[in-house]
Amino acid sequence: MSERRALACAVGAAFVLALVAGTPSALPAQSADSLRARLGRVSAARALADTTVRRLEQERRARRTARIRSGGRTVAYDPALLTPEDSGGIAAGLALGLDRLVERFGEEGRTLVDSATWVAVGIPWWFGQRRVELRTATSGAAESLHLPRPLDPERVARFVLQAAGASLAPSSPALSAWSPWSVSLAGEEVRFAEAGRELALSWAAVGRRCSAGSALACRRALEPVPGEDRLGLLFDASDWRAVVTASPLPALTDSIFFSRRRACLAGDDPACAQIVARLTPPDPFSGGMRATLIMHAIDLGGRDALRRFRSSTEREPVPLLAEVAGVSEDSLIMSWQRRTAVALAAERRGAIPLSLSVAGWTLLLLGGATFRRPR
C-alpha cells in the first residue's frame, strides 16, 4: 500500500502543477520569463514523478524476483511461486550439468554456458501435478522443460546439456544454413532413431538407398543440393509422383501442364514423367536429420571435439564435421548411418512387446464377447 500511495502522490503532484500551468484564470498577465520559469518547474515535477515511478517499479520487481546462481548460470524466479526445495533442485541440476560438460570437453565445456538469464516459473496445475517450468532465454529445440515436483536434478542436468548444444550450429557459417535445428549434447538416441526412420521411409530414393547402406547415397542425402539439381541427384523415376505432389506449383498458365498434373496425381505415371522436369522439389531431408550428424561427430571427437570445431577453417559441413570427429569423411558418414540403423532397430524391438500385449488383450476380449453365453 505504501508503494501505491507514493506513486499516487508523485503522479498527482505532476498533474496539479500541469493543471495550474495550463489554466488561463490562474495566470493573470505575466511576462514570458515568468511563464518559462513556471513551465520549467512543471517539467521538473514531471521528471521527478517519472523517476519515482521507475524506482518503485524496479524495487517491486527486485522484491518479487530472486535468482539461483549455480553451474555458471543464473535462473530468475518468483520466491512466492517456487519453494526452497524447488530452487535447490534447480541449483543442483545446473551444477551437475556444468560438471558433465567440463568432464566431457575439459575447460572448453564452460564456454557452452552462455550468460543469458533463464527463468523458472511455478505451474499450479499440469495434468494433476504441480510442476515447475524452466525456460531458456534463447530460441531452439531446448526452449523449456516441465519438471514434476519434487524436482529431479538429473532432468535439469540433461536440459543443460540440451541447451549447451543449441548454439553450435548457428555459430558456424558452414552449419548454420545446412542444419538450423538444435544440437543436443544429452545423448538422445531417439533423435538417431528418428533420423533412421526418415531415411528408411524417405520419398527420395537416395534416402532409402542410404538406409540400406550406400555411402554415396548417404553423402548425397547429407550434403546440401541446390534446388535445380535435386531432381537428378536425389530422386528416381519411381519417385516422380511424390515429387509432383510435394513440389510447389510453378508460375505457369499452361493448361496442358495442369491437366497432366491432375492425371499424375490420379495415378498416371507417364503423365508424371512428362511434367516432373518443370518442377523444383523441396529438400526431402530435414535439418533435424542433419543435426544428428553434428551430434555424432562431437561424440566421436571426444574431449577435443569443441577445440577442433572452433579452430577449423573448413567451409563445407561434412569436411568440417570429419575434422571435428578426427576421422575420414567416409568413416564419419558410414558410422553415422550404422548408428541411425541400430537406434531404429532398437526402437522397433522395444515396441514389439507392447504390440503383442495389445494384440493379446484384443483377442482375449473378442473371444470373451464371442463365447459369452446369452442370458
Side-chain angles (χ1 to χ4, degrees):
M1 293 300 292
S2 60
E3 287 182 6
R4 293 181 180 176
R5 281 198 297 270
L7 181 59
C9 290
V11 175
F15 175 76
V16 170
L17 285 173
L19 184 62
V20 170
T23 304
S25 61
L27 295 173
Q30 300 179 56
S31 67
D33 290 342
S34 176
L35 283 173
R36 278 194 292 270
R38 187 178 292 272
L39 288 174
R41 289 193 293 274
V42 171
S43 297
R46 286 175 174 167
L48 176 61
D50 290 342
T51 302
T52 303
V53 170
R54 285 195 296 270
R55 179 178 58 79
L56 292 173
E57 180 63 21
Q58 289 170 357
E59 291 177 357
R60 183 185 65 81
R61 284 200 300 266
R63 278 196 292 271
R64 288 187 55 188
T65 304
R67 283 173 171 76
I68 302 166
R69 290 183 173 86
S70 179
R73 190 173 290 287
T74 300
V75 178
Y77 71 100
D78 185 343
L81 299 179
L82 266 65
T83 67
E85 290 77 15
D86 293 335
S87 58
I90 292 173
L94 295 176
L96 182 58
L98 179 60
D99 288 345
R100 289 181 180 171
L101 288 173
V102 173
E103 179 183 357
R104 183 173 176 183
F105 302 112
E107 289 303 307
E108 281 280 346
R110 295 184 187 276
T111 64
L112 295 174
V113 178
D114 59 42
S115 59
T117 298
W118 290 3
V119 177
V121 296
I123 302 175
W125 184 261
W126 180 268
F127 294 100
Q129 291 183 320
R130 293 180 67 246
R131 293 195 170 207
V132 172
E133 183 181 12
L134 185 60
R135 301 174 186 164
T136 66
T138 56
S139 60
E143 278 189 341
S144 64
L145 174 69
H146 283 184
L147 296 159
R149 287 173 162 130
L151 269 61
D152 182 3
E154 177 64 32
R155 295 191 63 185
V156 177
R158 287 183 61 81
F159 187 63
V160 170
L161 296 178
Q162 290 169 0
S167 62
L168 287 177
S171 68
S172 167
L175 300 179
S176 56
W178 178 69
S179 177
W181 281 43
S182 292
V183 173
S184 172
L185 300 178
E188 300 177 45
E189 289 305 303
V190 65
R191 296 273 298 269
F192 289 89
E194 290 168 357
R197 185 181 303 105
E198 181 174 334
L199 292 169
L201 302 179
S202 178
W203 57 289
V206 158
R208 301 189 296 274
R209 287 199 291 270
C210 173
S211 178
S214 167
L216 176 60
C218 288
R219 181 180 285 273
R220 284 190 174 173
L222 287 166
E223 292 182 334
V225 176
E228 62 272 16
D229 298 332
R230 288 173 189 155
L231 191 64
L233 293 177
L234 304 182
F235 299 94
D236 286 348
S238 60
D239 304 322
W240 287 168
R241 194 184 309 168
V243 171
V244 172
T245 302
S247 298
L249 293 175
L252 296 174
T253 57
D254 185 348
S255 60
I256 296 177
F257 170 87
F258 289 100
S259 174
R260 287 174 177 167
R261 182 176 184 274
R262 288 192 295 272
C264 169
L265 298 180
D268 186 344
D269 290 337
C272 298
Q274 290 172 335
I275 64 170
V276 71
R278 304 176 75 177
L279 298 170
T280 301
D283 189 344
F285 304 108
S286 70
M289 184 199 78
R290 294 184 175 116
T292 60
L293 184 67
I294 304 174
M295 294 160 61
H296 182 61
I298 292 172
D299 286 345
L300 290 180
R303 197 172 181 83
D304 293 328
L306 284 184
R307 179 185 56 77
R308 295 192 192 113
F309 177 80
R310 294 205 164 99
S311 63
S312 176
T313 58
E314 286 286 352
R315 306 293 296 181
E316 294 297 323
V318 173
L320 166 64
L321 294 176
E323 185 177 328
V324 169
V327 298
S328 69
E329 295 177 27
D330 285 344
S331 177
L332 170 68
I333 290 172
M334 291 316 298
S335 62
W336 167 81
Q337 188 276 336
R338 287 191 295 273
R339 185 172 179 180
T340 63
V342 168
L344 180 59
E347 183 183 82
R348 287 171 173 167
R349 285 195 300 272
I352 290 175
L354 176 61
S355 302
L356 292 176
S357 174
V358 171
W361 278 106
T362 302
L363 290 174
L364 181 62
L365 292 173
L366 286 174
T370 302
F371 295 107
R372 184 183 299 165
R373 282 185 275 180
R375 292 181 181 272

